Amino acid sequence: MSRPQPHKRATVHDIAAAAGMSRGTVSRVLNGGYVSAEARAAIETAMSDLGYVPNNAARALKMRRSQAVAFVALEPHSLFLDDPNIGSIMLGANAALSLADHQMVSLVVESARDTERVARYLSGGFVDGAIVVSARTKDPIIRVISDLSLPAAFVGHPPDLDQNIPFVGIDNVGSARAITEHLATGGRRRIGMIAAALDRDSGIDRLAGFRAALGPLFDADLVADVPHYDYGSGVKGMRDLLERDPSIDGVFAASDAIAAGALEALRDAGRSVPGDVGVVGFDDSTWAVRCQPQLTTVHQPAKEIGSCAAQLILRQLRGEHPDPGGQLLPTPLVLRDSA
Amino acid sequence: MSRPQPHKRATVHDIAAAAGMSRGTVSRVLNGGYVSAEARAAIETAMSDLGYVPNNAARALKMRRSQAVAFVALEPHSLFLDDPNIGSIMLGANAALSLADHQMVSLVVESARDTERVARYLSGGFVDGAIVVSARTKDPIIRVISDLSLPAAFVGHPPDLDQNIPFVGIDNVGSARAITEHLATGGRRRIGMIAAALDRDSGIDRLAGFRAALGPLFDADLVADVPHYDYGSGVKGMRDLLERDPSIDGVFAASDAIAAGALEALRDAGRSVPGDVGVVGFDDSTWAVRCQPQLTTVHQPAKEIGSCAAQLILRQLRGEHPDPGGQLLPTPLVLRDSA
């Protein structure tokens, strides 16, 4: 190769050539072995001239530890564009890993192509563990983690409960039940729900909690089923509910973004909140305080969830075996103006 | 080591031991060399029993290419929690890298501890290049990239214009000028600005464009200076402007989130939008369509910005030398209801 390759990093071989020494001598300098003062000086000059930095990939290989932990966001589109919690979960995980001197690397899985490549990456020795957010049953990434016995932690219920992977999350059923009861004890009689993501545990569990709170008063006609936890789904879901039953006076939205969309639809329909209709959300994300009126909602401790997931990985890297069950963090109700 | 290490991956050594073969024989199987059928069968059984997967870190080391590209978000707190564009930029970059079979790894830099560790990571052979978002002058990460000659691309103006690193961004001055002129030609007479992030090029340039549009009518008293591009800053900035001059009838907010906050402050003060006050934003993020009224704003092509930044890295990896100047993407005005 005679053409210069400007962006290729200098190797031990390059240093040896530049210093006029053998690679073995260079290696001894790098590994702290005995070398004559003269040889050491020549090699250090060559390193400096060539901008040499030791290759940590080599170190990772030798140590069989990369000191890196993956943060895998499945469904990144809705997560990064509609869910303000994901940022907090990421920063919480990063802070905990950082304290333990581990590098968090976030991997986006948006296409089948991504899935395959991320699976290869996870199995390739680049990371010591993986935090997985928003996993679905039978996701190929989960199979890879499971097959590799890669230290892992799920954020939210794991897709297969018989798996040996610990998780951190919240009690979606209990939280949904509590916030729905808040609507009912406030005197609301015709209470509906905008239920989202019914292909996921969080979605299914929030609907189950809503149903449990209403008991015999539950009316399946008052459940609008929308695909995502986003604002647009909230607008559509609320319009749908108003059409089905104009006398509706309470709404549990499965997320704050959905609740914000519902507020828009109610405003368009000339209904006041909380006067005509009480609205409650779920998340206590930035949406909750951006709305008019501000949302009564369920607080999700997003930063703590990220931090706990990181701890679950770090414990496994220390050789501990965390309880494969889940760690459920508390979710207090936050009472604001919307109900 | 007599204690079992459940999460340590099997190595060539482990396979050799389990199969009763030499490491050389195992290596020949892995590298497609000649091995007797009997030995191959024993080794393949051992690999399967031990859940062996080839170590790509080893391959990366040998090839001196990791097929991974870092996406480094400086100021992640404000980016991930307040700026909806960052998600689109990330997904745009990931899609372009994915097509070229490169793994994007996002790295968060929130503390001095993160800075040091990310600098080590970038110099450690784990990535072949780096996309850097929201860089500031004299950031240690920039120095590392520069010292290493790591293929890099900035999103937004690079902190030091004399550096050899290409960037992709938008014309903040021209865009701010155009949206301010829209307010002026709409008949607004007392036009103020909520300027943010004046320690960064984007913030400085948007203020410069505002000033250029107004020419002799520019009044420094009508510029509220807030630290971040977020909603809360918008509420505060607008209150501030109303106090300074209650006759204000036009506002250019340096971001859509700021504009949304300004709408809240105007609502609280009993001013109608666009009746009493015309408000325009910047970004065309999800904020713009969540507001009441929806925002007239500057469209930032976030996904394309991410994709172009990725292309700048991929070109460098192919040995090309992209123009170290910037690539500025078009930013059409989007006319909605707020002005």
Side-chain angles (χ1 to χ4, degrees):
Chain A
M1 286 192 288
S2 61
R3 290 173 55 217
Q5 302 219 336
H7 289 309
K8 222 158 188 183
R9 270 190 291 278
T11 62
V12 169
H13 183 83
D14 300 329
I15 294 163
M21 300 282 161
S22 74
R23 287 171 62 175
T25 311
V26 176
S27 286
R28 281 201 301 285
V29 168
L30 287 171
N31 297 320
Y34 174 74
V35 193
S36 75
E38 193 178 72
R40 180 179 299 276
I43 286 165
E44 286 177 351
T45 302
M47 282 180 185
S48 166
D49 289 349
L50 295 172
Y52 175 80
V53 282
N55 191 318
N56 287 338
R59 187 179 150 274
L61 184 64
K62 203 167 155 191
M63 309 288 289
R64 293 159 70 193
R65 278 288 168 88
S66 65
Q67 293 281 108
V69 172
F71 183 94
V72 184
L74 305 170
E75 299 184 64
H77 194 80
S78 65
L79 282 176
F80 283 105
L81 304 184
D82 294 314
D83 184 351
N85 278 322
I86 187 75
S88 296
I89 295 173
M90 262 181 67
L91 295 180
N94 185 68
L97 291 170
S98 182
L99 271 179
D101 223 23
H102 280 65
Q103 179 63 48
M104 186 178 86
V105 299
S106 286
L107 312 175
V108 157
V109 181
E110 199 178 27
S111 61
R113 203 182 179 97
D114 285 344
T115 302
E116 250 184 63
R117 198 194 53 252
V118 166
R120 283 203 308 273
Y121 192 82
L122 292 176
S123 58
F126 293 108
V127 295
D128 301 334
I131 296 169
V132 181
V133 184
S134 212
R136 291 190 197 223
T137 309
K138 293 187 183 133
D139 193 292
I141 302 282
I142 311 305
R143 206 172 326 120
V144 166
I145 288 173
S146 188
D147 289 355
L148 284 174
S149 302
L150 191 70
F154 288 117
V155 169
H157 275 268
D160 254 343
L161 281 170
D162 59 351
Q163 284 195 42
N164 250 4
I165 300 176
F167 71 95
V168 52
I170 58 165
D171 175 4
N172 279 294
V173 178
S175 311
R177 183 177 182 144
I179 193 94
T180 306
E181 281 166 354
H182 172 75
L183 278 177
T185 56
R188 309 290 171 177
R189 290 282 145 259
R190 293 290 291 161
I191 302 177
M193 175 174 180
I194 307 174
L198 292 180
D199 53 352
R200 274 197 270 166
D201 285 298
S202 62
I204 295 164
D205 288 354
R206 288 175 202 182
L207 178 55
F210 173 76
R211 186 173 193 142
L214 294 183
L217 295 175
F218 173 80
D219 178 352
D221 260 6
L222 289 188
V223 176
D225 170 5
V226 299
H228 304 296
Y229 286 121
D230 67 340
Y231 184 89
S233 298
V235 177
K236 280 193 210 103
M238 191 66 236
R239 284 188 191 143
D240 194 15
L241 286 180
L242 283 170
E243 208 163 282
R244 292 194 209 172
D245 187 348
S247 75
I248 194 164
D249 66 356
V251 177
F252 166 38
S255 79
D256 289 346
I258 291 175
L263 291 184
E264 185 191 313
L266 287 165
R267 200 159 34 221
D268 288 349
R271 308 297 171 95
S272 73
V273 175
D276 297 333
V277 184
V279 175
V280 294
F282 202 106
D283 284 344
D284 196 24
S285 71
T286 43
W287 280 107
V289 291
R290 283 168 186 170
C291 292
Q292 275 293 335
Q294 293 194 338
L295 296 174
T296 289
T297 189
V298 172
H299 178 72
Q300 280 223 57
K303 198 150 190 175
E304 292 78 5
I305 287 173
S307 171
C308 283
Q311 294 301 344
L312 286 173
I313 302 287
L314 292 169
R315 289 179 56 198
Q316 292 173 68
L317 294 177
R318 287 197 298 268
E320 298 176 30
H321 300 273
D323 178 359
Q327 201 175 332
L328 297 183
L329 302 186
T331 52
L333 297 194
V334 183
L335 304 182
R336 295 198 184 90
D337 306 325
S338 66
Chain B
M1 286 192 291
S2 60
R3 289 173 56 217
Q5 301 219 336
H7 289 309
K8 220 158 187 182
R9 271 190 290 280
T11 62
V12 169
H13 183 84
D14 300 329
I15 294 163
M21 300 282 161
S22 74
R23 287 170 64 175
T25 310
V26 175
S27 286
R28 282 202 300 284
V29 168
L30 287 171
N31 297 321
Y34 174 74
V35 193
S36 74
E38 193 177 70
R40 180 178 298 276
I43 287 166
E44 287 178 350
T45 302
M47 281 180 184
S48 166
D49 289 350
L50 294 171
Y52 175 81
V53 282
N55 191 318
N56 287 338
R59 187 178 150 276
L61 184 64
K62 202 168 156 189
M63 310 288 288
R64 293 160 69 194
R65 278 287 169 90
S66 64
Q67 294 280 108
V69 172
F71 183 94
V72 184
L74 305 170
E75 298 186 65
H77 195 80
S78 66
L79 283 176
F80 283 105
L81 304 185
D82 293 314
D83 183 352
N85 278 324
I86 186 75
S88 296
I89 295 173
M90 262 180 67
L91 296 181
N94 184 68
L97 291 171
S98 183
L99 271 179
D101 222 22
H102 279 64
Q103 178 62 48
M104 185 178 88
V105 298
S106 285
L107 311 175
V108 157
V109 181
E110 198 179 29
S111 61
R113 202 182 179 97
D114 285 343
T115 301
E116 251 185 61
R117 199 194 51 253
V118 166
R120 284 204 309 274
Y121 191 83
L122 291 177
S123 57
F126 292 109
V127 295
D128 301 333
I131 295 169
V132 181
V133 184
S134 212
R136 291 189 197 224
T137 309
K138 291 186 186 135
D139 194 292
I141 302 283
I142 312 305
R143 207 171 325 122
V144 166
I145 287 173
S146 190
D147 289 354
L148 284 174
S149 302
L150 191 69
F154 287 117
V155 169
H157 275 268
D160 253 344
L161 281 170
D162 61 351
Q163 284 195 42
N164 252 3
I165 300 176
F167 71 94
V168 53
I170 58 165
D171 174 5
N172 279 294
V173 178
S175 311
R177 183 177 184 144
I179 192 95
T180 305
E181 282 167 353
H182 172 76
L183 278 176
T185 56
R188 310 289 171 176
R189 290 281 145 259
R190 292 292 290 160
I191 302 177
M193 175 173 179
I194 307 174
L198 291 180
D199 54 350
R200 272 197 271 167
D201 286 300
S202 63
I204 295 164
D205 288 354
R206 288 174 202 181
L207 177 55
F210 173 76
R211 186 173 193 143
L214 294 183
L217 294 176
F218 173 79
D219 177 352
D221 260 7
L222 289 189
V223 176
D225 170 4
V226 299
H228 304 296
Y229 287 120
D230 68 339
Y231 184 90
S233 297
V235 177
K236 279 194 210 101
M238 190 67 236
R239 283 189 192 142
D240 195 14
L241 287 180
L242 283 171
E243 207 162 282
R244 293 195 208 170
D245 186 348
S247 75
I248 195 165
D249 65 356
V251 177
F252 166 37
S255 78
D256 289 345
I258 290 176
L263 290 185
E264 185 189 313
L266 287 165
R267 202 160 33 221
D268 288 350
R271 308 297 171 95
S272 71
V273 175
D276 298 332
V277 184
V279 175
V280 295
F282 201 106
D283 283 345
D284 196 25
S285 70
T286 43
W287 280 107
V289 290
R290 284 167 187 169
C291 292
Q292 275 293 333
Q294 294 193 338
L295 296 174
T296 289
T297 189
V298 173
H299 177 71
Q300 280 223 58
K303 198 150 190 175
E304 292 78 4
I305 288 173
S307 171
C308 283
Q311 295 300 345
L312 286 172
I313 302 288
L314 293 170
R315 289 179 55 198
Q316 292 173 68
L317 294 178
R318 288 197 297 267
E320 299 175 29
H321 299 274
D323 178 0
Q327 201 176 334
L328 298 183
L329 302 187
T331 52
L333 297 195
V334 183
L335 304 181
R336 295 198 184 89
D337 306 325
S338 66

